[in-house]
Each structure stands twice: as structure tokens, then as C-alpha cells.
Amino acid sequence: MKPNVFKDGDLVIAGFFPLYTFLTQERTVRPFKGFFLQQFLTKNYQYVLAMLFAIEEINRNPHLLPNISLGFDIYNARHSEQRTLEIPIIWQSGMGKYNPNYNCRKESKSVAVLTGQSWALSIQVGILLELYKIPQLTYGFYDPNLRNDDQFPSIYQMAPKDTSLALGMVSLMLHFSWTWVGLVISEDKRGIQFLWDFREEMDRNGVCAAFVEMIPITEKSYFTFEWHYHLRIKESPVKVVVIYGDSDSLLVLSFCRWRVLVIGKVWITTSKWDVTTSERDFFLDSFHGTLIFSYHHGEIPGFKTFIQIVNPVKYPEDFYLAELWFISFDCLLSESDCNTLENCPPNASLELMPWWQFDKDMNEGSYNVYNAVYAVAQSLQEMLLQRVEIQSVENGDELIVEPWQLHPFLKNTQFKNPVGDHVVLDEARKLDTRFDILNFWNFPEGFGLKVKVGQFASDMPHDQQFSISEEMIEWNAGFSETPHSVCSEKCIPGFSKTSQLGKPACCFLCTACPENEISNETDIEHCVKCPDHQYANSERTRCIQKTVTFLAYGDPLGMTLVCTALCLSFLTAVILGVFVKHRDTPIVKASNRTLSYILLISLKLCCLCSLLFIGRPNTATCTLQQITFAIVFTVAVSTVLAKTITVVLAFKVTAPGRRMRQWLVSGAPNFVIPVCSLIQMTICGIWLGTSPPFVDKDAHSEPGYIIIECNKGSATAFYCVLGYLGCLAFGSFIVAFMARNLPDTFNEAKFLTFSMLVFCSVWVTFLPVYHSTKGKVMAAVEIFSILASSAGLLTCIFGPKCYIILLRPDRNTQHGLLYKSPSGGNKLS
């Protein structure tokens, strides 16, 4: 084959385009020991047409490079690790053959080179051309590795920046709630950079990678038949797969897709990788429904018409075009000239070629080629205007332009192309591109369609950057509705996400919120605790206002306790009335009327003081209920102690004139009551002076309720009061226990002993029960203990006496008070 297609002009622009692939297999593949493949990449011929179209437009334009014609010099850029620089050296030598470091051109008309579909070609060719300061304009996709002005000062990238591509793809995934995706990346610098940016955006937005397949770049991969990449992707349960790389860097995956049908996958890729090269029918194409991120650009006017009229007759020097016609329309080659075609269909046109062979819509690469030609022309225009006073350019034969002279003008070039897009070559002034989201529809007989279904613009406000029309999307076979791709299903309200050790963040467990905590959204990381005045509903989805409550008179429990307290108080009053009415009877006299009256009055007050614990607490009731309880019960217990001491003294003092007898006659035991009460009052005074009781709210004891209660203030003072009361009760019990065996007719020592046993039992039981309850039940326990202990004293001490007074009056006589002493005499009790 000839090395190039050349058309002369006053100035010439060279172009290196990947039109053929030359691939060899070095190791043995049976039944062949080695073979060679030449494949014409028909879709890439659009680059050549874009260059020809732009040059012809410029040559017809009287305002741009007037009286100067542009020519072209087109070469095939080989995809080969060993032979990448072969064509640039042939072009540089001008000899049509490989002669490094020679330039046999009589005059240099070439001013710039268009190159760079792949980053490897751009870098290698750029290093070579940098030796001669020849401008190189890359029409491939934007590559951050080429923006180093120190390393590649002669390389200019036509493509806009695509640094927002990763954010755009992640925005698409977030829109469809795809958080579990696979990644297939070309193993080159650009692919690794994209992987780095993409993983960063994924981590920031909670998207996880199920697998990452790095596809090696090697021309031998086309023939190795290494299916493991394809099989791992095919067998993965992941529904969404991102593919990043160009058609050259993903040859392995491109080859495999022709042989194995893969359904049930959503492919997300860029226009760098061509998915429209399939001859399968509609539902039998693995990549039907692919979502493609494509640079947003306008349609160059007149380009489609130009494609329709292109043919080998119009461009006889273009043997690439002749080859394309030969392959596509079954033409015959002339025996005398390989560029001459015979027996071609009269209506043969590129418009008739199926889309999987040739795309009639201008792609991004062709659009960049078109802009690159115009950028060179604009720079030449500026340079020649500066030289017009020094050198006449009317005669094109005398025009001499050195390529290195174009650099200052290329760096400052900026213009609007015919569709109004702003073209800038300076890296510092380049803007990030907008992306169109295309959906690939495959139809029978090789017809396909890329339908715009959305867009992404990083320069827009955040809520307006991404938009998509779901109803326009055609999904891959295997999906009857919008695909679903997650590692773990969303946690519904009422649950929170719990990470699993050793697994990605997207693979989590849903754990129910703890008590009194809620989550009212999906996929909440942590449940939120309800405020103290609210509580969580049973579903743990919202907080509900708590109801204020207390031990009220209207409650069944409160009403029961009130009735019990009033009944006991009434019973005590009745017994007091009985004792007053029968005050002159021997049994009342024998039980010490004064102490009995005091005890009955104090027991009545004990029953009534329990009412202070019922109803809505306030500062007054909180202060009175504990103090009143402490003092009244101290009076009652000290009275029992005084009665017990009186009984003991009455039976122990037998000799007249003894000193202890004087104490008994003088009523000294009665002073126990004021002394003991004064001590308790002192303790209560200290309590009130340091940390008195106060109204408090308990929002935690009962779910759904805020309990208004009385806080004891100082717990130490409260237990000191109970401890002192317990000591009095225990002392009374000991004294009564010592007198239990005294002779008895109306002797109440045994009754006092049993009453103190009941009293102590009630309050010993009270302590653990009191500590194990919360809220208004705690107040009920204290009320019950007050009533139970009061009832115990009342029943044990006064029950037998009332029985005799009311039911056995025959025993309530002077004779009934006499009993036989152990020595045989009579003794008065």
C-alpha cells in the first residue's frame, strides 16, 4: 500500500489517522504457526472526511487565508507498540520510506500535524515532533497526561476537559439508585487516572465497586482468545457495568462481544469506546440499551451533504476511499491500477452503508479534526497578517512558513466555529465540557440509533447539573423495567444501616432502631434519639409527644388508695370514739388512756398524710408529704415505745419506795414521745435546709409518659429519716419482746411485740420494692407501706381491746383485771 494520500497546496496540514490495524500473532495458534491481519477500520474514515471538508470550506472562504490554498497529507497511524513511530518518520523524511533523521523535502509546506486518537500515539509522536518544534493538534479525547507544557509544549488538545465525567456517571447511578457496579477500565495512564477520579466520586456518594477489571493494552490480545475477562464480567451478578477506554485499548472485550450474548446488563460507557459495531438483531445485541456519555457539540452544517457526494471519482488520489468502496459495495479492482474501481453500483454512497460500518453523524473525534483545521487556519491568518508588511504573500509559490513559527499564534487562538461553539487551545482557559447522555438502540439489519435521553453540565447549579428522560430509555434484553443494582436493599424507616466486617460500605445489614430512637428516612446511618418529652412509636419511625401523668385521684390505683386511707382514718376515729366513750372502764385505764389517745390520733394522721402523695405534685405537697410522714410516724412509733416501757416498768417494779416506781408514778415514760419527735424534727429541719424535696419530671420510667413526681432532694436525708424511724421501731420491738412473757390478763406486751414485728416487716419489705419501681408506682408503694404499717399497729394494738369492749363486756370489769401471781397471791394488772 502507498504510505500516504497527498494533495498539494500552498500550505499543507498532515494527518495521522487509525485507518488500518496490522496485527500479528507470534506464538503458535493451531492450525497456524503465525499469521498477519489487516483490517480496515471503516468508521474511522470519518476523520479523513472531516479534514477534507474543513480544508475545502477554508479554501472557498474569501475571508480566511485569501489567495492561499491548503493541502493535506494523510497517513495511516498504526496501532502497534513496535511501529508507532514508523509513519511519523516516513512523513518527516519526505522520501516515502523509513529513513530516520532525514528530510528530503525541497521545501517545507507542512505547518502542523493532526494526530492522537489514542494517548500512546499522541505521546510517542509528540516526543518525536518536539525535536523539530512541529505543532501537533490532537483530535482524540482530552488527556490530562498531555497538558504538561514543559514536557509537551508543542502538543495542543482540541477536546475540551472532561474532568467532570466521573461526577456525571455517578450522578446517573444515584438517579437510578445503582450503588453496586462493576468497572472495566483500560490499563493505561488515562484509564488509571479515570479509575482514581471515579472511585473518589463513588466513595463520596456511597457507590461501591463489585469488581474492577483492568484490560491490558496489547495488539496481541486480539488473537490470544483470553475469555477470562469476558466471562468474569458475564458471570458477575452485578447489573450495571462501567466501561472506560477507547476501541483500541479494549480489543479483548470488543472481540469477545461478537461471540457470546450477554443480557441483563446495563453498560455505561463513553463515546471513546464504540458499541455500534454489531450486526446482531434488535434483542440479540449485548450492548443494546447502552448509556453513552458523549461530548456535547453541535452538528456542523453541510457535513452530511458532503458525505453523500463523496466518492472515489471525486477524490481519485485517495486510495483509502477506493478501499472503502471496494469493501462496502463489492466493486472490482482494475488490474492496471489498484485505485481504479470497476462494476460499482451507480448509486453507491456512504449514506447507504449500515451504521455499524460507517456513522453518518459527526462524532467527537471528527468534530475535533474539523476544529483543528480551523485552528491552524486561524493561526496562519494571524501570523500572515503580521508578516504582510515585510513579505508579500500574493504569490503562493514564494510563501514559506516554518512550523515552529506557528506556536505563539496557536497558543492564543480562540474562535467560534460555524455552530457557535467556543474553541480554545490554551489549557488554562479551557472549560469543562458538557455531556450528552445517549441511549443506543440496535435494530435489525445493522441499523442503529443513538438517542439523546439526558445531559450533564458541571457548570450549572448543583440541582440542575443532571437531567434524564427515563421514559425514552430502551433497556437491555432481560429487563422489563428499570434495572436494580444494589448489594443490600435499602433500610426502610425504623431501621439503620450496620456495616459488615470486611465488606464494602454498600453491603450492610438493616438493624431495628433501639428503644426510643427513630429513623424516618431510608438508609439512615444512625438512629436519632427522641427528646425527653417525646417517645418513639412502635414502628420507630417518628417521635410522639409524651402524656403528662402522675398518681391522680381519678386513677383506679389512686382512687383505691384514697378510699383505703379514708377507711382506715375513719376506723381509727371510730376506735378513738370507743375509747373515749369507755374511758372509765378498766381495760381503757389499764392501757394508759393518754398514750392510747395519742397513738390513735397519730395513726389517724398517718392515714391522712398518705393523701399528700396523691394528686399533681407541687412544691408545698412535695415538702409536706415526706416531713409530715416522718414526724407523724415518729410520734406513733415513740408512743408505742412509751407504752412498752410503761408495761415493763409496771411489772418489774414490785417494791414500794423504789426509785423506778417514782418514774412510773410520775409518768416519765411519756417524755419519750417529745424527745424522739424533737430528734426527728431536727433531722427534717436539716433536710429542708440543705436539699429539700422538689417537683421533678421522670421521662424515662414509662414509655409514652412524662411522670410528674416529687424528687426527694437529698437521698441521704431521706434515708436518715427512715433509718431513725427504723431504729425507734426496732427499739420498741426489743423492749416489747423482753416483756412478752409477763403475766397477762389485759397485758398488751405481746400485742405491742406483734405490732412492731408487723411494722418492721412492712418497712423492711418497702426498701427493695421501692428501689425496683419507677414513676407513680413508687409513690403508690410508699402509700401502701404507710397504710399497711398504720393498719398493722391499729389492728394488733387496739383490735383485742375493742373486741373485749364491744363484744365481751363481761371481761371489762375490776374482777377481770385480777390474776393469780406465781406465789399464789392476787395481783392487779
Side-chain angles (χ1 to χ4, degrees):
M1 295 181 63
K2 296 178 182 179
N4 65 319
V5 173
F6 179 80
K7 183 177 182 179
D8 199 7
D10 297 327
L11 297 174
V12 176
I13 301 176
F16 299 157
F17 303 112
L19 302 176
Y20 282 90
T21 56
F22 298 90
L23 303 171
T24 59
Q25 172 62 25
E26 296 181 359
R27 65 183 185 178
T28 301
V29 179
R30 294 179 181 178
F32 306 103
K33 296 200 65 172
F35 54 87
F36 168 83
L37 175 69
Q38 170 183 308
Q39 182 184 6
F40 188 25
L41 305 175
T42 57
K43 298 190 74 171
N44 288 353
Y45 186 72
Q46 192 187 94
Y47 301 143
V48 176
L49 295 179
M51 183 177 182
L52 298 182
F53 178 68
I55 289 176
E56 290 186 4
E57 271 193 346
I58 294 170
N59 289 338
R60 293 193 304 265
N61 191 343
H63 305 291
L64 184 58
L65 296 179
N67 301 321
I68 297 176
S69 63
L70 291 180
F72 54 81
D73 194 5
I74 299 173
Y75 289 81
N76 174 52
R78 297 183 179 179
H79 179 82
S80 171
E81 296 175 351
Q82 292 82 17
R83 305 181 67 181
T84 298
L85 296 179
E86 180 178 328
I87 294 301
I89 291 176
I90 292 175
W91 168 78
Q92 179 67 20
S93 68
M95 299 175 62
K97 60 181 180 179
Y98 189 75
N99 248 343
N101 208 28
Y102 278 86
N103 187 350
C104 299
R105 301 176 187 271
K106 293 181 179 180
E107 56 182 357
S108 176
K109 291 185 178 183
S110 297
V111 292
V113 177
L114 308 185
T115 185
Q117 184 193 28
S118 66
W119 73 272
L121 181 62
S122 298
I123 290 178
Q124 294 187 48
V125 175
I127 294 174
L128 174 65
L129 299 185
E130 180 60 32
L131 298 175
Y132 308 98
K133 306 300 180 185
I134 299 174
Q136 177 184 349
L137 288 78
T138 65
Y139 55 86
F141 296 93
Y142 185 80
D143 190 344
N145 299 305
L146 298 177
R147 64 186 178 189
N148 190 332
D149 290 339
D150 295 331
Q151 189 175 2
F152 306 108
S154 299
I155 293 182
Y156 304 91
Q157 298 192 75
M158 299 306 303
K161 293 181 179 179
D162 62 354
T163 54
S164 63
L165 175 62
L167 177 58
M169 287 187 170
V170 172
S171 299
L172 173 68
M173 296 172 188
L174 294 178
H175 175 80
F176 289 109
S177 300
W178 295 333
T179 58
W180 190 237
V181 300
L183 303 180
V184 180
I185 311 293
S186 59
E187 195 173 16
D188 53 33
K189 287 187 177 180
R190 189 164 58 187
I192 293 173
Q193 180 63 45
F194 171 78
L195 178 61
W196 180 273
D197 297 338
F198 193 64
R199 292 298 293 267
E200 185 176 355
E201 287 294 338
M202 291 172 65
D203 294 341
R204 186 181 296 116
N205 292 279
V207 181
C208 302
F211 64 84
V212 179
E213 289 290 347
M214 302 299 294
I215 307 297
I217 303 175
T218 170
E219 63 191 72
K220 299 174 185 177
S221 300
Y222 199 88
F223 290 99
T224 55
F225 294 95
E226 296 178 0
W227 294 87
H228 56 277
Y229 299 112
H230 186 269
L231 291 177
R232 282 200 293 263
I233 298 169
K234 177 179 179 292
E235 294 174 359
S236 172
V238 175
K239 302 299 183 183
V240 178
V241 179
V242 176
I243 300 176
Y244 182 85
D246 53 41
S247 298
D248 291 336
S249 61
L250 291 173
L251 286 177
V252 173
L253 189 59
S254 299
F255 180 76
C256 292
R257 69 179 184 180
W258 291 80
R259 287 162 172 76
V260 178
L261 177 63
V262 180
I263 61 174
K265 301 284 186 186
V266 177
W267 309 98
I268 302 175
T269 184
T270 66
S271 52
K272 302 176 186 178
W273 187 55
D274 186 14
V275 300
T276 62
T277 56
S278 174
E279 296 178 271
R280 295 182 187 272
D281 286 340
F282 180 54
F283 281 113
L284 298 179
D285 182 74
S286 298
F287 297 95
H288 171 75
T290 298
L291 295 172
I292 304 169
F293 278 75
S294 174
Y295 292 163
H296 174 77
H297 63 83
E299 187 68 31
I300 300 298
F303 183 68
K304 285 189 176 181
T305 303
F306 175 74
I307 287 178
Q308 293 173 359
I309 62 175
V310 166
N311 57 68
V313 176
K314 185 176 180 180
Y315 298 97
E317 71 280 358
D318 190 352
F319 61 87
Y320 294 119
L321 184 57
E323 179 73 10
L324 180 59
W325 236 253
F326 171 74
I327 294 174
S328 304
F329 301 109
D330 296 327
C331 300
L332 299 178
L333 291 175
S334 173
E335 295 181 359
S336 58
D337 185 3
C338 290
N339 286 359
T340 303
L341 300 175
E342 299 175 351
N343 297 329
C344 291
N347 61 343
S349 169
L350 293 176
E351 188 71 20
L352 300 178
M353 293 181 63
W355 196 15
W356 60 271
Q357 286 185 340
F358 186 83
D359 194 350
K360 271 70 74 176
D361 294 326
M362 178 175 279
N363 59 36
E364 290 88 342
S366 299
Y367 181 77
N368 292 335
V369 169
Y370 178 86
N371 287 334
V373 174
Y374 266 89
V376 173
Q378 294 280 358
S379 301
L380 287 171
Q381 175 93 341
E382 293 294 327
M383 185 183 69
L384 295 176
L385 286 176
Q386 288 190 9
R387 293 172 54 181
V388 72
E389 296 180 0
I390 302 173
Q391 179 181 356
S392 174
V393 296
E394 293 181 358
N395 187 353
D397 295 335
E398 297 177 1
L399 178 63
I400 299 176
V401 177
E402 295 295 338
W404 56 267
Q405 296 175 331
L406 206 59
H407 284 297
F409 302 95
L410 280 171
K411 290 181 179 178
N412 294 320
T413 294
Q414 54 178 334
F415 62 93
K416 284 190 175 181
N417 63 14
V419 295
D421 292 341
H422 199 61
V423 180
V424 179
L425 272 66
D426 184 15
E427 291 287 339
R429 290 181 290 172
K430 277 184 179 292
L431 299 177
D432 213 336
T433 186
R434 294 187 177 188
F435 291 97
D436 292 333
I437 303 175
L438 309 178
N439 185 218
F440 172 57
W441 298 357
N442 190 58
F443 293 101
E445 304 302 329
F447 292 101
L449 187 63
K450 291 180 182 177
V451 180
K452 181 179 177 180
V453 295
Q455 66 178 2
F456 178 80
S458 60
D459 57 340
M460 298 291 287
H462 180 72
D463 58 343
Q464 301 176 18
Q465 289 181 345
F466 178 84
S467 64
I468 195 166
S469 300
E470 296 184 37
E471 65 278 1
M472 296 179 62
I473 300 177
E474 285 284 341
W475 299 110
N476 187 285
F479 295 120
S480 58
E481 57 185 12
T482 302
H484 188 60
S485 183
V486 295
C487 180
S488 297
E489 294 296 334
K490 289 184 177 181
C491 292
I492 62 174
F495 292 80
S496 63
K497 296 196 298 185
T498 303
S499 58
Q500 300 186 73
L501 185 63
K503 293 187 177 182
C506 299
C507 301
F508 51 82
L509 298 175
C510 293
T511 306
C513 290
E515 185 177 357
N516 210 37
E517 293 187 12
I518 66 163
S519 65
N520 54 7
E521 297 179 8
T522 58
D523 283 347
I524 292 294
E525 297 285 346
H526 303 286
C527 297
V528 179
K529 189 175 182 64
C530 289
D532 286 343
H533 63 279
Q534 295 179 339
Y535 70 100
N537 62 348
S538 58
E539 293 80 16
R540 305 287 199 273
T541 57
R542 62 190 180 96
C543 292
I544 303 174
Q545 192 72 25
K546 289 183 176 180
T547 303
V548 176
T549 185
F550 49 87
L551 185 58
Y553 290 102
D555 291 347
L557 179 60
M559 189 176 299
T560 301
L561 293 174
V562 169
C563 292
T564 303
L566 293 177
C567 291
L568 284 176
S569 177
F570 177 75
L571 180 61
T572 306
V574 170
I575 294 175
L576 178 61
V578 171
F579 266 61
V580 171
K581 183 178 180 180
H582 300 85
R583 60 184 177 276
D584 295 326
T585 60
I587 194 170
V588 174
K589 292 180 179 179
S591 62
N592 196 328
R593 287 179 297 187
T594 303
L595 293 180
S596 294
Y597 295 159
I598 294 174
L599 180 58
L600 286 170
I601 293 173
S602 62
L603 288 177
K604 180 180 177 65
L605 294 177
C606 287
C607 294
L608 293 176
C609 81
S610 64
L611 300 178
L612 293 173
F613 292 84
I614 305 174
R616 187 183 182 97
N618 53 57
T619 304
T621 56
C622 286
T623 303
L624 288 175
Q625 63 183 210
Q626 299 296 341
I627 303 303
T628 304
F629 154 73
I631 294 175
V632 171
F633 258 86
T634 300
V635 172
V637 175
S638 60
T639 302
V640 174
L641 179 60
K643 288 176 68 66
T644 307
I645 293 174
T646 301
V647 171
V648 172
L649 291 177
F651 281 93
K652 293 294 184 183
V653 180
T654 56
R658 294 193 58 174
R659 200 164 190 177
M660 294 181 66
R661 186 181 181 86
Q662 296 291 334
W663 290 354
L664 180 62
V665 174
S666 62
N670 295 345
F671 287 100
V672 171
I673 300 173
V675 171
C676 293
S677 300
L678 183 62
I679 296 174
Q680 185 71 288
M681 292 175 65
T682 303
I683 297 174
C684 290
I686 296 173
W687 185 2
L688 294 177
T690 55
S691 180
F694 58 91
V695 180
D696 196 9
K697 294 181 179 180
D698 180 8
H700 307 288
S701 296
E702 295 187 25
Y705 293 95
I706 297 177
I707 302 174
I708 308 298
E709 61 180 7
C710 290
N711 191 299
K712 302 299 185 297
S714 173
T716 302
F718 174 69
Y719 288 114
C720 286
V721 167
L722 288 183
Y724 177 71
L725 195 59
C727 290
L728 283 180
F730 186 71
S732 299
F733 172 73
I734 294 300
V735 175
F737 183 77
M738 293 171 57
R740 71 188 187 282
N741 292 323
L742 292 176
D744 187 13
T745 297
F746 292 120
N747 176 27
E748 56 184 355
K750 291 183 179 181
F751 301 136
L752 293 174
T753 303
F754 190 71
S755 66
M756 284 297 99
L757 181 61
V758 172
F759 185 88
C760 292
S761 300
V762 170
W763 287 102
V764 168
T765 307
F766 161 78
L767 291 176
V769 175
Y770 185 79
H771 280 286
S772 63
T773 56
K774 296 291 182 181
K776 59 184 180 180
V777 178
M778 180 182 289
V781 169
E782 189 168 357
I783 294 173
F784 177 79
S785 300
I786 292 173
L787 297 177
S789 56
S790 299
L793 293 177
L794 188 65
T795 303
C796 295
I797 295 175
F798 296 100
K801 294 178 173 54
C802 289
Y803 172 76
I804 293 175
I805 294 172
L806 299 176
L807 301 179
R808 299 293 301 273
D810 57 304
R811 296 183 56 186
N812 190 10
T813 60
Q814 188 72 20
H815 176 75
L817 299 178
L818 297 176
Y819 67 93
K820 294 290 183 178
S821 67
S823 58
N826 294 333
K827 185 173 177 67
L828 179 64
S829 173

